[in-house]
């Protein structure tokens, strides 16, 4: 779906203006398309980027003796950003619904994983469920926001997509393993390989500007996983959460997390 529905946001008008520009030479057109790609990616990452700025900013500058706990401030600030983005028409209502859904699902996952010691939230919070501060769901929501926005902004299509039944079975197996590997053998690497084989021929088609482009879907997933890994390093550095290996001091998140 192209930007038809996106004209409901301010990005629709900006996108129309940028895409109407016509560089005079081929090298300039290539450069312009590259810069336009970067702008659209940045727009898709808007909520996630603001959340990372909040995590780092509060880690460095939030007062230790503040009446409001830092985690609670993050929860309220994330809610305020969402409201402001809707009021200012920086995102659509459908995108906000995706964010809410990811927040709820992510919070449930956090409750399970923290109960089994996969990671901890080391700071105090009043706005929490068990040991999980409510801002944590927004980190899942940031990923959901990116997916919803990037799909629309770049008008995603797919070729050689596997049969839906196989993809559903793989998704179910991944989520079952997410919970069950605490008691059963961890099949993460096996499922990672199955996914690679299943989607090996799949191409994702997208439009940055005037022409349709494509790339292998598995390469796209790898790039997304890489940026999430970068974000995890920034988030754990800011004490948003800590893995067991980071309890005695921050260390780089294991690159093995790219497969998790």
């Amino acid at each position: 779906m192209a930007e038809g529905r996106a004209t409901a946001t301010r990005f629709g008008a900006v996108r129309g203006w940028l895409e109407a520009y016509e560089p005079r030479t081929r090298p300039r057109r290539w450069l312009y398309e590259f810069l336009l790609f970067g702008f659209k990616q940045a727009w898709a990452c808007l909520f996630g980027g603001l959340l990372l700025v909040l995590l780092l900013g509060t880690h460095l500058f939030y007062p230790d003796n503040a009446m409001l706990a830092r985690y609670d401030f993050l929860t309220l600030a994330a809610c305020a950003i969402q409201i402001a983005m809707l009021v200012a028409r920086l995102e659509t209502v459908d995108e906000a619904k995706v964010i809410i859904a990811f927040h709820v699902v992510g919070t449930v996952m956090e409750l399970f994983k923290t109960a089994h010691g996969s990671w901890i939230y080391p700071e105090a919070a009043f706005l929490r469920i068990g040991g999980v501060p409510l801002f944590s769901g927004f980190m899942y929501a940031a990923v959901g926001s990116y997916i919803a926005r990037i799909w629309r902004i770049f008008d995603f299509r797919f070729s050689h997509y596997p049969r839906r039944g196989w993809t559903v079975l793989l998704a179910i197996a991944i989520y079952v393993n997410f919970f069950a590997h605490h008691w059963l053998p961890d099949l993460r690497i096996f499922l990672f390989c199955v996914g690679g084989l299943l989607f090996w021929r799949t191409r994702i088609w997208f439009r940055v500007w005037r022409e349709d482009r494509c790339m292998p879907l598995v390469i796209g997933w790898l790039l997304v996983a890489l940026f999430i890994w970068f974000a995890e390093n920034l988030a754990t550095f800011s004490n948003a959460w800590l893995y067991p290996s980071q309890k005695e001091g921050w260390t780089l998140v294991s690159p093995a997390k790219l497969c998790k």
Side-chain angles (χ1 to χ4, degrees):
M1 177 176 59
E3 192 63 30
R5 293 181 64 186
T7 52
T9 69
R10 295 187 184 277
F11 176 74
V14 175
R15 175 177 180 172
W17 179 78
L18 291 174
E19 292 181 348
Y21 179 67
E22 187 65 58
R24 295 183 178 181
T25 64
R26 184 177 295 272
R28 288 184 178 181
R29 286 197 291 271
W30 288 340
L31 176 61
Y32 187 73
E33 184 170 6
F34 176 76
L35 294 175
L36 186 59
F37 175 82
F39 168 75
K40 290 183 175 182
Q41 285 284 351
W43 187 268
C45 293
L46 182 59
F47 179 62
L50 291 174
L51 195 58
L52 276 177
V53 169
L54 273 174
L55 293 177
L56 287 172
T58 55
H59 174 64
L60 295 173
F61 304 113
Y62 199 74
D64 293 333
N65 58 349
M67 293 182 61
L68 183 67
R70 173 180 171 241
Y71 281 178
D72 292 336
F73 173 82
L74 288 171
T75 299
L76 297 176
C79 291
I81 288 173
Q82 278 300 296
I83 294 171
M85 288 177 66
L86 282 171
V87 172
R89 294 193 295 113
L90 298 179
E91 75 177 9
T92 66
V93 173
D94 285 344
E95 289 167 352
K97 291 177 181 177
V98 170
I99 286 174
I100 293 172
F102 269 78
H103 188 286
V104 173
V105 173
T107 301
V108 172
M109 290 181 171
E110 289 291 302
L111 287 168
F112 178 86
K113 298 301 278 189
T114 52
H116 289 82
S118 296
W119 52 79
I120 62 168
Y121 290 92
E123 299 182 22
F126 175 76
L127 300 175
R128 61 186 174 86
I129 300 176
V132 178
L134 294 185
F135 85 86
S136 65
F138 282 108
M139 294 185 287
Y140 290 83
V143 178
S145 171
Y146 172 78
I147 293 172
R149 293 161 74 89
I150 204 72
W151 197 297
R152 172 175 57 80
I153 290 170
F154 285 96
D155 191 20
F156 281 174
R157 290 94 65 210
F158 303 91
S159 61
H160 299 100
Y161 199 84
R163 292 185 178 181
R164 179 171 295 183
W166 289 113
T167 63
V168 170
L169 287 175
L170 177 62
I172 292 173
I174 289 172
Y175 277 99
V176 168
N177 186 73
F178 178 84
F179 295 103
H181 79 85
H182 292 282
W183 306 285
L184 300 175
D186 191 351
L187 302 179
R188 200 170 308 169
I189 300 299
F190 170 75
L191 293 171
F192 182 82
C193 294
V194 170
L197 291 173
L198 191 61
F199 289 93
W200 186 252
R201 296 177 62 241
T202 305
R203 295 292 183 270
I204 181 169
W205 291 83
F206 57 95
R207 180 179 287 265
V208 178
W209 188 26
R210 303 290 172 80
E211 299 181 24
D212 289 334
R213 309 288 185 185
C214 77
M215 68 183 302
L217 182 58
V218 291
I219 298 298
W221 283 343
L222 177 62
L223 292 173
V224 171
L226 184 62
F227 278 97
I228 292 176
W229 179 73
F230 288 150
E232 278 196 310
N233 277 286
L234 289 174
T236 53
F237 172 78
S238 68
N239 225 40
W241 76 88
L242 294 176
Y243 290 109
S245 62
Q246 298 171 322
K247 290 180 181 179
E248 302 302 323
W250 183 82
T251 57
L252 196 69
V253 176
S254 171
K257 288 289 181 181
L258 289 170
C259 302
K260 297 181 179 180

